[in-house]
Amino acid sequence: MLTFMASDSEEEVCDERTSLMSAESPTPRSCQEGRQGPEDGENTAQWRSQENEEDGEEDPDRYVCSGVPGRPPGLEEELTLKYGAKHVIMLFVPVTLCMIVVVATIKSVRFYTEKNGQLIYTPFTEDTPSVGQRLLNSVLNTLIMISVIVVMTIFLVVLYKYRCYKFIHGWLIMSSLMLLFLFTYIYLGEVLKTYNVAMDYPTLLLTVWNFGAVGMVCIHWKGPLVLQQAYLIMISALMALVFIKYLPEWSAWVILGAISVYDLVAVLCPKGPLRMLVETAQERNEPIFPALIYSSAMVWTVGMAKLDPSSQGALQLPYDPEMEDSYDSFGEPSYPEVFEPPLTGYPGEELEEEEERGVKLGLGDFIFYSVLVGKAAATGSGDWNTTLACFVAILIGLCLTLLLLAVFKKALPALPISITFGLIFYFSTDNLVRPFMDTLASHQLYI
Amino acid sequence: MGAAVFFGCTFVAFGPAFALFLITVAGDPLRVIILVAGAFFWLVSLLLASVVWFILVHVTDRSDARLQYGLLIFGAAVSVLLQEVFRFAYYKLLKKADEGLASLSEDGRSPISIRQMAYVSGLSFGIISGVFSVINILADALGPGVVGIHGDSPYYFLTSGKIHLLSSLYPPSILVPDLIYWPSLRDFFGSTSQEPGRRSGMYLLPISLPAAFLTAAIILLHTFWGVVFFDACERRRYWALGLVVGSHLLTSGLVSWRQGPELGRKAFNGEWDVGEGVSSLLNIFNLPGRRRKGESFKVSHLSIISITCSGEEVEWISQTVMQRA
């Protein structure tokens, strides 16, 4: 897969046009700001003939792309909206997979629920005699953690502004190396221990080496989209497991709440670091780094369509600001990812373009969603109802966020709504619904 | 064995729902979204009902078992009514969405019909309610014995020498073959058991199997209720609405009614003779169950309760039961 390059002169360089070729629905267009679709007349005609789907949640689901040159606005709207439902599912699936991995691990491998110390980012202990002290400690832990994240984010934005690309590349490569090799090794060790499976070192070395090397290649260079997505899901799950293990109880919940607020601020405020990052990248018309953004889309050329480069206009869509940038614990920002296969279409050839745009979600979002659900699984008294309730809440939050994305058409934070719903459902299910359901079950009453 | 019980009961409970999901819903993104949103609505209704029940329980006298049982029944009824209210709310939302979709489409027709939405929303309510009802029981069926894990009363399962007596309660059709045993229970109660807990896997079978069948029935019922409900709303046949609500209440209350309020009272007072409990469970499926009085039957009472109660509660129950034995 080629990274999307601004200098690419092929037409449908719609950055994240995706070609999730689904048989029935073509090109959903998830609109991100500044995206200009690869429009051309052929596509319009093609889209018009296809059926629509839409996110049935609400009225006019407008995944409208703004400012496509040479397109009447009304047509724009009509075309773009629809495949909203497809985008939602394209995100539901990876988020669900990540959560399944995390919950399955939490429920079976005891290592991740054992308390073995804390990270240096949360120095205050929660083993305190009084509730007030514990609360205070967790708030302090949260403050420290959030400030670390803020500092790292700002540092990154500064680096990006001053074009220190190599430094950022190196940083990202170091962190993914650590995730892919060290954390995987630890994870594999614990899983083998749990199931009492013996593995000799040479086999282990071979396995971890292959896994890690292919992961590095897929994430940072080129690789099949599905493999890359799978690796991103896996590293998000690993990161979430680390958080679940090392964050103390109350601190974890307060951190989740605080990070959603931070996310909201960072992405929406004019001077927010993430917003600045996004805007800078847009100005420069370049994709950021193939780092921590999960992309569900890619460009594809299929079929027959006549492509007229000249009519495309400014097709160099700037990488599309991902829905939200979220930083993982190491302060790495999630950048939009642009993986696009080389276009097989040639200008002038009778090629029809089926483009599909996808949505991007920062890996930080994956991580924190999984932390929430994993914590619910770990601490909810072994209760599956709590886990499931949080899971549904997060999915609905994601759905609503995508809806807002369609309405506002610019990068949005994905954490606040989902985490809020998740937290509400966690605490209410654990404390209110669980006793009710347990009592009902003990009397074999079904409701 | 745990795995056999788990898989068997899971497939019994969720087989139809899973098949329906896979074949009709999974392929269409819009339906998947409607499914998840329906689950969300059901969860909200459950949450509100739990709040009501929780408040009532805490403002009243907790030691009055009869009152608590009555409150539980009331809570269940409130929950049923709230579910139907939220079903109506979901209907309204979907109707609006349908209009929006229709207005946005090229040919003025929505990509999904209200009937499909009715079916999917019914299925969603069914799946989430079934999952919430039975998942904990299934999870316990899979894992090693949780009962007594904190070293609570050794009287759980009393003496396993009497375990084999339980087997005589069940008609051969649901007897688990001898091959099945539950090693973890044996480990737990090795010292007190005179025979190697061979039939202890059957303990959870009487709980999880009826639960599984009932769950499957309820999932399908919700699906049908969804369809009937939406259709009734569309055509303004309010008697059909009443029918749905009434049948939901009836179904929900059926289990407790079969047992009789008397049983509930006894359960709280610890007088519940397990034989009654077991035979009532069997009665649900019209299986013959013989009532036999005696200490050994208290065992299955404990096993039913112990799945869902905390260690302390079971401790109390077991002690109470032992006193009366």
Side-chain angles (χ1 to χ4, degrees):
Chain A
M1 248 137 271
L2 273 181
T3 52
F4 169 75
M5 288 298 27
S7 54
D8 199 342
S9 57
E10 299 173 84
E11 333 52 326
E12 74 311 305
V13 191
C14 9
D15 33 337
E16 1 279 302
R17 290 303 179 77
T18 113
S19 65
L20 267 184
M21 307 321 289
S22 82
E24 56 270 344
S25 51
T27 67
R29 259 209 275 183
S30 103
C31 227
Q32 321 284 343
E33 91 189 334
R35 224 189 230 209
Q36 297 154 12
E39 332 319 335
D40 69 331
E42 264 53 274
N43 289 343
T44 311
Q46 195 183 349
W47 289 338
R48 219 181 274 134
S49 62
Q50 273 134 6
E51 53 173 348
N52 330 325
E53 288 181 350
E54 196 204 19
D55 180 348
E57 285 302 312
E58 275 192 28
D59 285 328
D61 196 1
R62 305 197 185 271
Y63 283 91
V64 179
C65 246
S66 54
V68 173
R71 271 242 168 121
L75 188 58
E76 263 319 293
E77 291 212 356
E78 204 181 295
L79 288 175
T80 49
L81 77 164
K82 340 317 210 35
Y83 304 94
K86 189 118 182 70
H87 288 292
V88 175
I89 302 304
M90 287 190 319
L91 284 184
F92 270 13
V93 172
V95 169
T96 308
L97 282 174
C98 192
M99 290 189 205
I100 287 176
V101 170
V102 170
V103 171
T105 309
I106 292 279
K107 289 282 187 187
S108 53
V109 179
R110 261 176 309 127
F111 172 74
Y112 288 103
T113 41
E114 290 164 2
K115 294 279 334 155
N116 273 344
Q118 301 180 191
L119 295 172
I120 53 163
Y121 305 112
T122 53
F124 294 94
T125 176
E126 286 196 5
D127 269 334
T128 57
S130 76
V131 169
Q133 181 71 19
R134 187 172 185 185
L135 195 61
L136 182 68
N137 280 359
S138 51
V139 171
L140 289 172
N141 279 338
T142 307
L143 284 174
I144 295 178
M145 185 80 157
I146 299 290
S147 20
V148 166
I149 291 178
V150 171
V151 163
M152 296 256 201
T153 312
I154 293 181
F155 181 49
L156 196 74
V157 173
V158 162
L159 283 178
Y160 188 66
K161 254 188 159 11
Y162 291 108
R163 300 179 188 265
C164 309
Y165 296 141
K166 290 219 184 312
F167 191 99
I168 298 180
H169 269 306
W171 184 3
L172 292 174
I173 287 180
M174 283 307 303
S175 73
S176 27
L177 265 176
M178 190 177 65
L179 274 169
L180 281 169
F181 287 99
L182 180 64
F183 286 178
T184 306
Y185 169 74
I186 295 173
Y187 179 80
L188 196 58
E190 292 306 322
V191 168
L192 291 174
K193 269 189 226 171
T194 304
Y195 292 105
N196 204 18
V197 173
M199 189 185 268
D200 52 306
Y201 275 113
T203 310
L204 184 70
L205 193 65
L206 197 68
T207 310
V208 172
W209 169 251
N210 276 300
F211 179 83
V214 175
M216 291 301 292
V217 166
C218 272
I219 294 173
H220 292 280
W221 195 47
K222 307 175 194 179
L225 183 68
V226 173
L227 199 57
Q228 181 211 334
Q229 290 172 338
Y231 270 105
L232 291 174
I233 292 174
M234 281 189 268
I235 64 177
S236 309
L238 285 172
M239 200 63 235
L241 285 168
V242 166
F243 272 145
I244 293 171
K245 180 173 172 62
Y246 289 110
L247 287 181
E249 287 280 334
W250 291 17
S251 305
W253 297 112
V254 185
I255 285 176
L256 276 172
I259 200 130
S260 344
V261 173
Y262 166 68
D263 200 26
L264 196 65
V265 164
V267 176
L268 294 180
C269 284
K271 280 296 164 193
L274 292 176
R275 183 167 172 157
M276 283 173 43
L277 190 69
V278 155
E279 284 169 358
T280 315
Q282 261 185 290
E283 281 165 29
R284 296 183 193 169
N285 221 4
E286 64 188 20
I288 310 194
F289 297 98
L292 307 169
I293 289 273
Y294 176 94
S295 164
S296 60
M298 69 192 239
V299 178
W300 238 39
T301 324
V302 294
M304 318 297 271
K306 178 170 65 90
L307 291 174
D308 185 10
S310 59
S311 74
Q312 300 305 328
L315 275 202
Q316 299 319 56
L317 300 169
Y319 75 90
D320 115 72
E322 64 286 358
M323 268 177 43
E324 83 90 19
D325 273 36
S326 186
Y327 288 40
D328 67 7
S329 68
F330 296 96
E332 288 150 355
S334 325
Y335 290 119
E337 211 156 55
V338 266
F339 282 120
E340 294 171 359
L343 302 166
T344 58
Y346 301 95
E349 194 176 330
E350 291 296 312
L351 276 184
E352 187 160 286
E353 214 172 84
E354 287 257 339
E355 299 163 346
E356 225 176 273
R357 279 211 210 152
V359 232
K360 292 177 187 271
L361 188 60
L363 286 199
D365 299 321
F366 277 86
I367 292 171
F368 286 108
Y369 291 163
S370 307
V371 166
L372 194 147
V373 175
K375 270 270 183 236
T379 63
S381 333
D383 187 35
W384 283 91
N385 291 344
T386 316
T387 312
L388 284 164
C390 290
F391 167 70
V392 172
I394 287 181
L395 285 188
I396 290 296
L398 189 59
C399 208
L400 287 175
T401 311
L402 282 167
L403 204 63
L404 288 178
L405 181 71
V407 171
F408 290 111
K409 304 184 271 297
K410 55 184 219 155
L412 287 180
L415 280 182
I417 302 180
S418 287
I419 299 285
T420 309
F421 277 175
L423 288 174
I424 292 175
F425 270 75
Y426 171 74
F427 287 110
S428 56
T429 309
D430 204 33
N431 297 313
L432 301 173
V433 176
R434 192 169 47 87
F436 184 46
M437 292 304 291
D438 284 348
T439 320
L440 283 175
S442 67
H443 292 88
Q444 296 111 39
L445 280 173
Y446 282 79
I447 55 169
Chain B
M1 173 70 207
V5 172
F6 172 75
F7 281 112
C9 292
T10 304
F11 291 140
V12 165
F14 296 114
F18 187 62
L20 285 172
F21 172 76
L22 214 53
I23 294 171
T24 58
V25 174
D28 185 357
L30 201 52
R31 291 181 199 165
V32 175
I33 294 172
I34 294 177
L35 194 88
V36 177
F40 180 72
F41 272 70
W42 188 89
L43 280 175
V44 174
S45 82
L46 181 67
L47 186 63
L48 293 177
S50 309
V51 168
V52 168
W53 175 79
F54 195 78
I55 293 174
L56 282 177
V57 161
H58 280 269
V59 300
T60 59
D61 178 15
R62 297 208 74 178
S63 55
D64 183 356
R66 182 147 205 178
L67 177 67
Q68 295 298 321
Y69 187 69
L71 282 178
L72 187 69
I73 300 288
F74 177 70
V78 166
S79 167
V80 167
L81 291 171
L82 274 174
Q83 281 178 49
E84 298 304 327
V85 166
F86 273 82
R87 206 195 293 271
F88 183 72
Y90 197 39
Y91 163 74
K92 283 283 172 210
L93 180 70
L94 285 179
K95 200 99 175 75
K96 247 179 72 171
D98 195 38
E99 287 159 17
L101 281 173
S103 69
L104 281 170
S105 79
E106 295 133 3
D107 53 358
R109 283 186 314 128
S110 159
I112 190 169
S113 76
I114 195 76
R115 283 210 180 137
Q116 290 174 22
M117 288 194 203
Y119 159 70
V120 176
S121 79
L123 186 64
S124 69
F125 271 45
I127 290 179
I128 192 74
S129 88
V131 165
F132 261 61
S133 306
V134 91
I135 195 85
N136 283 323
I137 299 176
L138 289 177
D140 288 331
L142 179 67
V146 177
V147 179
I149 197 167
H150 297 298
D152 288 346
S153 170
Y155 299 126
Y156 290 179
F157 300 100
L158 297 178
T159 60
S160 69
K162 299 184 175 142
I163 289 173
H164 67 276
L165 285 177
L166 272 182
S167 62
S168 60
L169 276 183
Y170 305 105
S173 56
I174 64 169
L175 261 183
V176 175
D178 286 352
L179 299 171
I180 296 177
Y181 75 108
W182 203 353
S184 51
L185 265 187
R186 181 187 58 190
D187 294 339
F188 270 123
F189 307 111
S191 59
T192 59
S193 62
Q194 285 121 29
E195 69 175 358
R198 264 164 66 209
R199 294 187 191 269
S200 44
M202 281 166 30
Y203 282 140
L204 278 192
L205 195 60
I207 297 123
S208 43
L209 197 58
F213 277 105
L214 206 52
T215 304
I218 291 211
I219 293 178
L220 292 173
L221 272 173
H222 268 286
T223 313
F224 304 146
W225 283 329
V227 174
V228 173
F229 194 97
F230 278 44
D231 186 67
C233 289
E234 284 281 294
R235 302 196 206 181
R236 309 219 182 287
R237 289 184 190 164
Y238 297 114
W239 59 268
L241 279 188
L243 190 69
V244 169
V245 178
S247 57
H248 195 168
L249 281 169
L250 185 72
T251 310
S252 170
L254 201 62
V255 179
S256 70
W257 294 345
R258 281 201 89 119
Q259 293 175 6
E262 192 56 28
L263 205 62
R265 180 192 70 81
K266 282 195 197 168
F268 270 99
N269 293 340
E271 290 167 7
W272 192 7
D273 184 322
V274 148
E276 271 182 55
V278 170
S279 60
S280 64
L281 277 175
L282 294 174
N283 281 338
I284 292 172
F285 302 105
N286 297 318
L287 298 169
R290 283 163 284 151
R291 288 190 48 149
R292 288 174 57 178
K293 303 218 183 292
E295 181 184 292
S296 57
F297 300 96
K298 305 268 188 303
V299 172
S300 103
H301 164 87
L302 290 175
S303 64
I304 290 171
I305 300 294
S306 63
I307 299 302
T308 50
C309 293
S310 67
E312 292 77 12
E313 295 173 53
V314 191
E315 173 80 32
W316 172 84
I317 290 175
S318 67
Q319 281 171 352
T320 315
V321 164
M322 283 311 295
Q323 285 160 17
R324 296 175 195 273

